[in-house]
């Protein structure tokens, strides 16, 4: 039972780390997970986790790299193949040599072979951390393509180098010529095996489909088993299991663009499962490190042969050495054509600095270091194993902090907050464009369908605004402006009443509605939800009127509503001239959209839309809306308004909605 409780606690810690990252995005998730792991280690649990080092590779590294390979941008890998290969292989080799000798020089108690093993573990960059950087900082697309491709390939090259170094340390024998020949055989053999297995899997899946078996669960299980089978077979025939897994992942055919409902459902389910699995495995690695750190720190701190201050200085020195070697290599080998950016003219030094500081170490480095065996071939303890794991952990932490705090300094006006706000504005504009184009398509036949689709887009727009309002001052501005617009509507209603342009009964009912909305505004409703509530109240008032006066009352309420809309919109535009705040821009956009909708009788509060005949299917209008949204997403991406990650996320949402509509049709 203790193992069961331990697993539940670890999964709960991963969930907590995700929540903390959502509320405090400036805190790196791996750092949070390490801290949570330390907390778990300090709890009085009667359980000690002892993992076989080799189990780390097959359990964590194999599925993580396989998923990274599947998600990789094949076009970018081919476009930037030269700089990617130079960094993924050439830089890894130079890093192993340079940092390895430095480790042995500063800490003589670590043998040269073990020092090379540590340097090899430190050489790969982390694909997850690199992707996280793209969400926080506007790194040029070309450099981002190089970083992502490198993070995928250098995992394999670094781990292969690590395995050779550990083998030399365990056996006590090492020949450079033999190692070079063996490395070529292992690497080429691993990649060929991965490609062959990808082909066999493709043929197997095609055979299953030819039998009419389109079971989503079956196909997902085949995908989940693939990295483990590839790795075990590769290791059994003594070629690189890591390179085999990476090659197999990259070679997976892309079926996302096939117009097949079963394929769409399979892709959505597979993406969701792999996303959860990848995040969980990455989180478990850092949590396990956290649980091991207290004992490792205790051993290192209590070691009389090691000076604690010296170790801290050495960790900083190794981090600087890694980044400096990376900077020099990028400066010498990468040509300007690979980091050219139309919006920002980057010098070679600045581009090399960006590449260097983006070299974050993470899961692969940690899992590799923790896979160091406990004993050598002669059954003696592996020298300074705890110290090596401690140094690897320290370097990971340093590179994470450097990327979080120093890398943004290389960019102007590209902080996390502004990036999020810019993308939020762009997404809101996309929804706005879809709504405006749909309103131009209104006819008597499609009025109901268009109105319902527009309602969904209004809801998504309102959710987006509420989700990303982080600044308390902005929230206060929104609430204050809402109350101001309601006051303007009240003033205009009273003025129209005094001028005799509206009867007292209609004005009284309208003012009652405004009073109720003021109360609802305490719940921070958006403008569109306020308008929706106004419509519901107006319909409620309609049923309270007598049949004799119903039609007259409805017409006057509609006229009064339109007059107030025009009056408030004019006031907002005047206010914009002197105080162009984001809240005012949003309010003007909302009122303009509502005015267009009123004109086309999409949201007329005095008209019961359910009485209209739904001649046009909602599915047809939704298909048009989705295509408009896709076109706007592509335009925003090409103009640099939204990142590739946001683009992929929004397109995925559209596919999900399309699948849902098709399933509802069935």
């Amino acid at each position: 039972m203790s193992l069961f409780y331990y697993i539940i606690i670890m999964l709960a810690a991963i969930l907590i780390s995700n929540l903390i990252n959502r509320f405090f995005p400036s805190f790196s998730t791996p750092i949070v997970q390490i801290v949570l792991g330390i907390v778990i280690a300090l709890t009085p649990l009667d359980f000690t986790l002892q993992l076989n080092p080799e189990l780390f590779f097959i359990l964590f590294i194999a599925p993580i790299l396989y998923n990274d390979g599947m998600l990789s941008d094949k076009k970018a890998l081919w476009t930037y193949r030269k700089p990617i290969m130079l960094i993924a292989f050439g830089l890894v080799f130079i890093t192993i040599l340079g940092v390895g000798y430095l480790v042995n020089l500063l800490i003589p108690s670590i043998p040269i072979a073990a020092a090379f093993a540590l340097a090899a573990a430190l050489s790969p960059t982390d694909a997850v951390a690199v992707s996280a950087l793209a969400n926080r900082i506007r790194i040029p697309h070309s450099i981002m393509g190089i970083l992502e491709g490198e993070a995928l390939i250098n995992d394999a090259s670094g781990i292969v180098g690590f395995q050779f170094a550990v083998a030399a340390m365990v056996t006590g024998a090492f020949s450079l010529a033999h190692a070079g020949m063996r490395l070529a055989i292992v690497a080429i053999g691993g990649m060929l095996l991965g490609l062959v297995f990808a082909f066999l899997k493709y043929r197997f899946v095609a055979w299953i489909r030819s039998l009419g078996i389109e079971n989503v669960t079956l196909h997902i299980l085949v995908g989940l088993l693939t990295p483990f089978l590839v790795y075990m077979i590769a290791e059994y025939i003594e070629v690189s299991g890591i390179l085999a897994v990476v090659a197999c992942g990259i070679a997976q055919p892309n079926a996302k663009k096939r117009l097949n409902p079963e394929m769409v459902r399979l892709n959505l389910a597979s993406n969701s499962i792999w996303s959860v699995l990848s995040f969980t495995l990455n989180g478990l690695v850092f949590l396990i490190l956290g649980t091991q750190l207290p004992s490792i720190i205790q051993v290192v701190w209590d070691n009389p042969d090691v000076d604690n201050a010296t170790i801290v200085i050495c960790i900083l020195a190794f981090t600087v050495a890694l980044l400096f070697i990376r900077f020099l290599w990028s400066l010498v080998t990468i040509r300007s054509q690979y980091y050219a950016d139309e919006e920002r003219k980057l010098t070679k030094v600045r581009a090399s600095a960006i590449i260097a500081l983006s070299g974050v170490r993470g899961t692969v480095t940690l899992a590799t270091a923790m896979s160091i065996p406990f004993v050598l071939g002669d059954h003696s303890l592996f020298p300074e194993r705890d110290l090596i794991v401690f140094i690897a952990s320290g370097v990971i932490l340093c590179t994470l902090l450097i990327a979080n705090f120093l890398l943004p300094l290389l960019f102007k006006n590209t902080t996390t907050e502004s990036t999020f706000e810019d993308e939020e504005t762009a997404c809101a504009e996309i929804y706005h464009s879809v709504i405006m184009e749909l309103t131009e398509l209104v006819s008597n036949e499609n009025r109901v369908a268009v109105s319902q689709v527009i309602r969904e887009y209004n809801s998504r727009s309102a959710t987006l605004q509420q989700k990303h309002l982080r600044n308390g001052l902005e929230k206060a501005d929104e609430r204050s402006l809402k109350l101001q617009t309601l006051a303007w509507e009240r003033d205009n209603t009273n003025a129209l009443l005094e001028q005799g342009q509206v009867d007292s009964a209609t004005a009284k009912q309208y003012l009652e509605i405004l009073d109720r909305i003021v109360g609802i505004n305490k719940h921070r409703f958006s403008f569109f939800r306020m308008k929706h509530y106004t419509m519901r109240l107006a319909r409620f008032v309609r049923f309270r009127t007598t049949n004799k006066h119903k039609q007259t009352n409805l017409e006057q309420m509609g006229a009064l509503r339109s007059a107030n809309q025009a009056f408030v919109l004019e006031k907002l535009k005047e206010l914009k001239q002197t105080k162009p705040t984001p809240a005012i821009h949003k309010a003007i956009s909302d009122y303009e959209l509502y005015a267009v909708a009123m004109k086309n009788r999409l949201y007329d509060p005095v008209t019961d839309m359910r009485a209209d005949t739904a001649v046009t299917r909602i599915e047809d209008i939704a298909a048009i809306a989705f295509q408009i949204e896709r076109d706007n997403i592509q335009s925003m991406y090409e103009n640099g308004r939204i990142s590739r990650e946001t683009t992929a996320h929004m397109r995925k949402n559209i596919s999900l909605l399309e699948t849902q509509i098709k399933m509802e049709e069935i």
Side-chain angles (χ1 to χ4, degrees), residues 77-95:
L77 284 176
W78 179 254
T79 302
Y80 306 116
R81 61 190 182 278
K82 290 183 179 179
I84 288 175
M85 291 302 173
L86 285 172
I87 296 179
F89 289 100
L91 179 58
V92 167
F93 179 75
I94 295 298
T95 299

Side-chain angles (χ1 to χ4, degrees), residues 135 155 194 306 552:
N135 295 329
D155 287 343
V306 177
T552 303

Side-chain angles (χ1 to χ4, degrees), residues 592-606:
E592 286 178 340
L593 282 175
Y594 188 75
V596 174
M598 288 277 289
K599 180 180 178 181
N600 290 282
R601 294 181 64 246
L602 293 176
Y603 286 105
D604 193 339
V606 298

Side-chain angles (χ1 to χ4, degrees), residues 247-545:
C248 184
I250 295 176
Q252 293 302 306
N254 190 352
K256 294 181 179 180
K257 296 183 179 180
R258 296 182 183 177
L259 299 178
N260 186 319
E262 295 294 336
M263 291 299 300
V264 173
R265 278 195 285 271
L266 174 60
N267 288 329
L268 292 173
S270 178
N271 290 338
S272 299
I273 291 175
W274 273 108
S275 176
V276 173
L277 181 63
S278 178
F279 182 82
T280 302
L281 292 177
N282 277 285
L284 282 174
V285 172
F286 288 103
L287 283 171
I288 292 173
L289 169 66
T291 60
Q292 304 293 315
L293 266 184
S295 59
I296 294 174
I297 294 175
Q298 188 66 35
V299 172
V300 173
W301 244 241
D302 293 342
N303 190 344
D305 299 329
V306 177
D307 181 69
N308 298 333
T310 302
I311 294 301
V312 174
I313 294 174
C314 288
I315 291 175
L316 296 176
F318 300 151
T319 303
V320 172
L322 285 170
L323 299 181
F324 184 68
I325 293 174
R326 185 177 176 85
F327 172 77
L328 289 181
W329 184 268
S330 303
L331 190 65
V332 173
T333 61
I334 298 182
R335 299 179 180 178
S336 59
Q337 68 189 71
Y338 293 115
Y339 55 80
D341 188 80
E342 296 181 358
E343 296 182 1
R344 287 165 292 180
K345 302 300 181 181
L346 298 177
T347 63
K348 196 169 188 179
V349 173
R350 190 177 184 186
S352 300
I354 293 172
I355 295 175
L357 297 183
S358 300
V360 182
R361 272 59 181 179
T363 306
V364 175
T365 293
L366 189 53
T368 304
M370 296 191 70
S371 68
I372 294 176
F374 291 92
V375 295
L376 301 176
D378 58 0
H379 302 291
S380 62
L381 294 176
F382 195 99
E384 304 292 2
R385 182 184 185 278
D386 289 334
L387 179 58
I388 291 175
V389 175
F390 181 75
I391 292 173
S393 305
V395 172
I396 291 172
L397 182 61
C398 289
T399 56
L400 284 171
L401 294 175
I402 288 173
N404 284 338
F405 298 107
L406 294 185
L407 185 59
L409 299 179
L410 295 175
F411 300 91
K412 296 181 179 180
N413 300 323
T414 55
T415 60
T416 304
E417 184 178 356
S418 63
T419 299
F420 281 140
E421 290 177 355
D422 291 343
E423 293 205 347
E424 174 197 343
T425 302
C427 293
E429 290 178 13
I430 291 174
Y431 297 147
H432 183 282
S433 298
V434 174
I435 294 171
M436 294 299 290
E437 291 192 41
L438 286 179
T439 56
E440 300 296 329
L441 303 176
V442 178
S443 64
N444 292 330
E445 291 78 15
N446 64 15
R447 188 179 307 280
V448 174
V450 171
S451 65
Q452 293 189 26
V453 174
I454 288 179
R455 277 184 175 180
E456 294 300 324
Y457 273 93
N458 285 334
S459 177
R460 291 170 65 184
S461 180
T463 302
L464 177 67
Q465 293 182 15
Q466 292 178 359
K467 180 179 178 181
H468 294 292
L469 276 177
R470 300 176 182 82
N471 191 302
L473 183 58
E474 289 183 4
K475 292 181 180 180
D477 288 344
E478 288 249 337
R479 292 194 296 272
S480 176
L481 189 58
K482 289 175 186 177
L483 295 175
Q484 181 64 61
T485 57
L486 294 174
W488 285 335
E489 290 199 38
R490 174 179 290 278
D491 294 341
N492 191 56
T493 301
N494 290 325
L496 293 175
L497 178 60
E498 293 177 359
Q499 297 170 9
Q501 298 185 27
V502 62
D503 64 83
S504 59
T506 302
K508 181 180 178 181
Q509 290 175 356
Y510 198 90
L511 292 174
E512 288 178 355
I513 293 174
L514 293 179
D515 290 338
R516 296 192 184 191
I517 295 176
V518 170
I520 293 299
N521 191 50
K522 296 179 180 179
H523 299 285
R524 303 177 185 179
F525 277 19
S526 66
F527 276 103
F528 267 110
R529 298 188 69 176
M530 279 172 48
K531 305 309 181 248
H532 178 68
Y533 192 78
T534 304
M535 292 185 291
R536 296 184 62 181
L537 285 175
R539 287 197 291 268
F540 175 73
V541 171
R542 181 190 61 186
F543 287 109
R544 295 178 58 185
T545 59

